[in-house]
Amino acid sequence: MTNFITGLNTSRPTHMPRHVGIIMDGNGRWAAARGLARIAGHKKGSEVFGNIVRHAKAKGIPFLTVYAFSTENWSRPPDEVKGIMSLLESYLRDSHKYRKENIKTIILGDKTPLSPKLRDMIAEVEQGSSQNTGITVNIALNYGGRSEIVHAARKAAQKLLDGELSGVAQIDEDFLAGCMYTAGQPDPDLVIRTGGEKRISNFLLWQSAYTEFVFTDTFWPDFTPACFDAALTDFAGRKRRKGGVMAVDSDASGQLTIDSGQLTVNVSAMRTDLK
Ligand code: FPP
C-alpha cells in the first residue's frame, strides 16, 4: 500500500519474505546426468520438497508455494505424468506426518480433471490440516496462472449475474484477488526458480506483480536448505519500492529503515510519540 503523501511504500517488511514461491525445475536433467529415468529426478525432488518445507517452517516463513504440476505438464509422456501423480499421492498419504508438525496443506489449481481418488485425498488433507498454523504449504497442481485468472473472472461474472454485486465497479483488484486460489494469502515476496531457466512459466502471474525473483542453476534435486538460505540473503539485499520512490524495510525485530537511495534512516533509533 502506498502512502500518497509520503510516496512511501509501507505494505510489508522486506527483510524476511512472508511468502516464498518455488519453481522446482531441473529434475529431468538431474536424472539424465546420472543415467536415470526422469521419474528418479522427480522422486528425489519430492524428498527435497519435504526438507525445504520443514526448513522454511523452521525459518518462520508463513507461506510456501511450490509448482508441482502445471496445466501444460499433461503433454509429458504418460509414464512421467503417472509417476508425478503417484508421488503426489504418496505425499498426501503421508500427510498425517505433516499435519502433526502443524503444517497446513492447500492444493492450488483446477482439481476437476484429477482422479476421484486423488480429489478425495486432497479434500481430506485440506480439511484435516486447515487449523494448522506452523506454515501454509500451497502445492500448485494442474495449475496455470492464466487459467487461474480466467477462473477468477468467471467467479466474479457469476456473482454479478447472481445479483451479489451492485455493479461492475465492485470488481476491483481486491475483489479479484479474493477470487484467486490464493484468496486471503499475501502475495509472494520471493519466487525462486531452480534449474537455470529464467522465466515465470505461468506461475502465480496475478500474485507476482511485485515479486522479487532469484534464479539459480542448481537442479531442484540438489537444492539444499543452504541454497534456500542463500536465496533469502539475496532477497534481503533487495530494495523494494513497488512503484514508490523510497524503500521501506522492517525486520521481525521491528527495526525499520527508510531508504531514498541517497539517505538511509533507521527509524527505530528515533523516538516517536503517537498522539
Ligand atoms: C520440473 O522439472 C518439475 C516438475 C514438472 C515436477 C515437480 C514435481 C515434483 C518435485 C514431485 C512431486 C512434488 C510434491 C509436492 C510431492 P523438469 O522435469 O521439467 O526438469 P527438466 O527441465 O530438467 O526436464
Side-chain angles (χ1 to χ4, degrees):
M1 186 193 303
T2 300
N3 179 316
F4 289 102
I5 298 170
T6 61
L8 296 179
N9 196 308
T10 54
S11 56
R12 21 174 303 84
T14 55
H15 280 133
M16 202 57 169
R18 265 201 298 174
H19 186 167
V20 177
I22 306 183
I23 302 175
M24 309 181 289
D25 198 14
N27 295 348
R29 281 166 287 160
W30 180 90
R34 286 159 181 76
L36 302 170
R38 291 177 60 81
I39 195 63
H42 297 313
K43 190 165 183 305
K44 177 76 173 125
S46 65
E47 290 163 23
V48 168
F49 158 76
N51 298 340
I52 295 299
V53 166
R54 291 186 172 104
H55 182 66
K57 178 172 174 263
K59 299 285 287 187
I61 308 280
F63 294 89
L64 181 75
T65 301
V66 294
Y67 208 1
F69 195 86
S70 75
T71 43
E72 290 73 33
N73 286 154
W74 295 106
S75 63
R76 292 190 174 211
D79 273 0
E80 187 174 345
V81 171
K82 222 170 127 196
I84 296 175
M85 289 301 160
S86 93
L87 285 169
L88 285 157
E89 272 184 27
S90 45
Y91 167 77
L92 295 169
R93 212 172 297 118
D94 286 351
S95 64
H96 55 274
K97 286 190 240 159
Y98 292 88
R99 226 181 284 176
K100 280 196 200 127
E101 292 175 53
N102 201 17
I103 294 166
K104 178 170 171 173
T105 303
I106 294 176
I107 305 296
L108 308 182
D110 179 8
K111 294 165 192 148
T112 43
L114 304 178
S115 71
K117 182 178 161 204
L118 196 54
R119 288 208 307 261
D120 285 351
M121 290 173 89
I122 289 171
E124 199 190 320
V125 170
E126 286 186 333
Q127 278 158 27
S129 70
S130 64
Q131 300 307 311
N132 286 355
T133 54
I135 185 171
T136 297
V137 177
N138 297 315
I139 300 178
L141 172 58
N142 191 32
Y143 173 88
R146 285 188 174 179
S147 94
E148 179 182 31
I149 293 169
V150 168
H151 166 85
R154 286 184 182 154
K155 241 172 141 176
Q158 192 61 54
K159 282 185 191 291
L160 196 64
L161 287 174
D162 293 346
E164 289 178 40
L165 302 175
S166 57
V168 286
Q170 263 190 283
I171 303 175
D172 58 10
E173 289 190 17
D174 284 346
F175 183 85
L176 274 184
C179 296
M180 300 288 159
Y181 297 127
T182 51
Q185 300 187 7
D187 287 341
D189 305 296
L190 168 66
V191 165
I192 302 166
R193 181 173 187 144
T194 62
E197 311 288 359
K198 294 182 178 62
R199 53 177 173 263
I200 193 166
S201 298
N202 209 8
F203 183 57
L204 301 179
L205 292 185
W206 170 273
Q207 297 86 343
S208 63
Y210 288 102
T211 295
E212 298 291 329
F213 283 81
V214 168
F215 298 103
T216 168
D217 289 339
T218 304
F219 294 144
W220 176 248
D222 287 329
F223 194 81
T224 60
C227 300
F228 188 83
D229 290 349
L232 294 184
T233 303
D234 187 338
F235 172 82
R238 309 270 179 105
K239 301 266 180 273
R240 304 183 74 201
R241 298 190 181 87
K242 296 184 177 174
V245 289
M246 292 189 244
V248 175
D249 256 0
S250 73
D251 61 19
S253 69
Q255 290 284 319
L256 181 70
T257 55
I258 299 175
D259 184 352
S260 72
Q262 292 167 315
L263 175 72
T264 303
V265 180
N266 184 337
V267 183
S268 312
M270 296 157 57
R271 194 185 134 83
T272 312
D273 290 318
L274 283 178
K275 297 239 164 67

